[in-house]
């Protein structure tokens, strides 16, 4: 599965229309973001039922401000319209896979 671009126009639709969304807040000028991008893409191919989305913090400043993004890359996981994880910094592929498995295992009740 490829990633989708999140914007102010489609953000609510994507979040409300999907039970599991992983968001990468990034910018083109950010070295760690460019390094993490291919990892994010590779992992997206391995997880059915998970929406992988990217927010370009330069183009979508209002979203970055709304979520108080001060460091990039920042990874956020939203399950059932609830943000259950947020962390700044790039992750290696194994750590991202592990994080997704943990988020799937979380009892949302």
């Amino acid at each position: 599965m490829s990633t989708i671009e999140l914007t102010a126009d489609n953000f609510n639709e994507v979040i409300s229309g999907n039970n599991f969304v992983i968001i990468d807040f990034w910018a083109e000028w950010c070295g760690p973001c460019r390094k993490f991008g291919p990892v994010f893409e590779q992992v997206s191919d391995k997880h059915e039922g998970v929406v992988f989305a990217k927010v370009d913090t330069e183009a979508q400043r209002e979203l970055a401000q709304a979520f108080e993004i001060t460091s990039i890359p920042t990874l956020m996981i939203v399950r059932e319209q609830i943000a259950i994880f947020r962390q700044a910094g790039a992750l290696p592929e194994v750590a991202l896979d592990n994080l997704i498995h943990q988020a799937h295992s979380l009892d949302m009740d």
Side-chain angles (χ1 to χ4, degrees):
M1 173 180 222
S2 63
T3 61
I4 61 171
E5 181 81 18
L6 275 185
T7 66
D9 293 334
N10 71 357
F11 186 87
N12 288 333
E13 178 184 335
V14 170
I15 296 300
S16 65
N18 297 283
N19 285 330
F20 198 123
V21 182
I22 300 177
I23 306 167
D24 174 22
F25 290 88
W26 72 286
E28 181 65 37
W29 54 262
C30 168
C33 297
R34 288 194 313 270
K35 185 176 179 182
F36 180 63
V39 171
F40 194 73
E41 288 285 337
Q42 284 178 290
V43 172
S44 75
D45 291 335
K46 297 193 278 184
H47 295 276
E48 292 286 325
V50 178
V51 173
F52 286 77
K54 295 177 81 70
V55 174
D56 180 344
T57 58
E58 291 295 312
Q60 299 298 318
R61 290 179 188 265
E62 62 280 355
L63 282 179
Q65 289 174 347
F67 288 98
E68 299 176 352
I69 303 300
T70 57
S71 296
I72 53 175
T74 291
L75 194 64
M76 181 180 292
I77 298 177
V78 180
R79 274 200 54 209
E80 300 174 19
Q81 301 177 24
I82 299 169
I84 61 168
F85 178 85
R86 175 182 161 158
Q87 177 178 304
L91 295 174
E93 185 174 343
V94 172
L96 182 54
D97 279 327
N98 186 33
L99 178 62
I100 293 167
H101 290 297
Q102 289 179 42
H104 265 298
S105 300
L106 184 65
D107 182 359
M108 295 300 287
D109 290 331

